[in-house]
Amino acid sequence: MVTSIRFTRSSVGQKLLMGFTGIFLCLFLVEHLVGNLLLLVDNDGQTFDAYSEFMSHNFIIRTIELGLFAGFAAHIFLGVKLWLANRRARPDRYAVNRASENSALASRLAFVTGSIVFIFLVVHLRTFFVPARFYAESNPSMYDLVRTAFQSPLYVGFYLVALALLGYHLRHGFQSAMQTFGVRTEKYRPVIEFAGVLFWLVIPAVYAVLPLYFLWSHLSGGR
Ligand code: HEM
C-alpha cells in the first residue's frame, strides 16, 4: 500500500498514470464516436434514442461511467500538477522566451489545448449529459436535443474549434504516452505512428462530421 502511494507520488508514477488515463480516455472517444454515428441512421433518431436509453439505464454502463469521470479527473489533476512542476523546473522562466527551441513548447501547448478541451467538455456535458441524466422526463428525445443544438452555427463553430484542439492535444499526448510506456522503439514506431494519426486526425475529423451534418440539414431545410 505504502509502496503504491510512493509510486503514484513519484514523477515516473505520475507520468505513467497520466499516460494510462489518457489512453483510457482515447478508448472512450472510440466508443463514444461509434455510438454517435447512430445519429446518422435515417429513421428520425429511433436507433440513436434506443441506444441512448440503453446507455442511461444500464447498471454496468452507469458504473463504467463513474470510472470515466474518475479518469477525466485524474488526467486533469495530473496534467496541471506536471505542468506546474515543469514551470518551476524551468530556469529561464523570466528570461528571453526560447520555448519554440525545445520540447517544453509541446507540453505547454498540451496544457493550453487540454484546458480548452476541458471547457468544451463542461459545455458539452451541460448540453447533453445533464438533461439526459437529470431531467430526461421533461426533455425532447436525445436525438432531438442533438439536432436542435447543432442548428446553431455558433455552437457548431465552437465544436469544430474544440475538435481541432482535441486533435492537437492527442497528437502530442498519444506519442508522449507511448514514449512513457517505452514502446516507441524502432520496431513498433510505424504501428504507433499509424495509431497516432487515427487518434489525432481521423477520430476528431469523423466527430466533426456530426455537427456539420445537422447544421447542413437544417440550413438546407431538411430537418
Ligand atoms: C461532436 C460530436 C459529439 C456528439 C454528437 C456527442 C454527443 C453526446 C451525447 C448525445 C451525450 C449524452 C449521451 C447520453 O447520456 O445519453 C454525450 C455525452 C458525453 N460526451 Fe459527447 N458528443 C460528441 C463529442 C464528444 C467529445 C469530442 C468528447 C470528449 C472530448 C465527448 C465527451 C462526452 C462525455 C464525457 C459524455 C458523458 C458520458 C457519456 O454519456 O457517455 N463528446 N455526448
Side-chain angles (χ1 to χ4, degrees), residues 86-95:
N86 281 344
R87 241 174 85 94
R88 272 195 298 271
R90 240 182 15 248
D92 63 340
R93 192 151 41 118
Y94 302 107

Side-chain angles (χ1 to χ4, degrees), residues 28-29 31-32 36 39 48 52-53 55-56 65 68-69 72 117 120-121 124-125 128-129 132-133 142 146 150 159 163 166 207-208 210-211:
F28 160 73
L29 274 183
E31 177 276 322
H32 194 43
N36 285 341
L39 285 162
F48 182 74
S52 174
E53 181 74 13
M55 295 299 274
S56 48
E65 209 169 75
L68 174 68
F69 285 116
F72 267 113
V117 171
F120 158 79
L121 201 59
H124 182 61
L125 293 180
F128 299 129
F129 179 77
R133 292 294 186 280
M142 201 65 222
V146 174
F150 291 144
Y159 264 67
L163 285 168
L166 173 68
Y207 265 107
L210 296 161

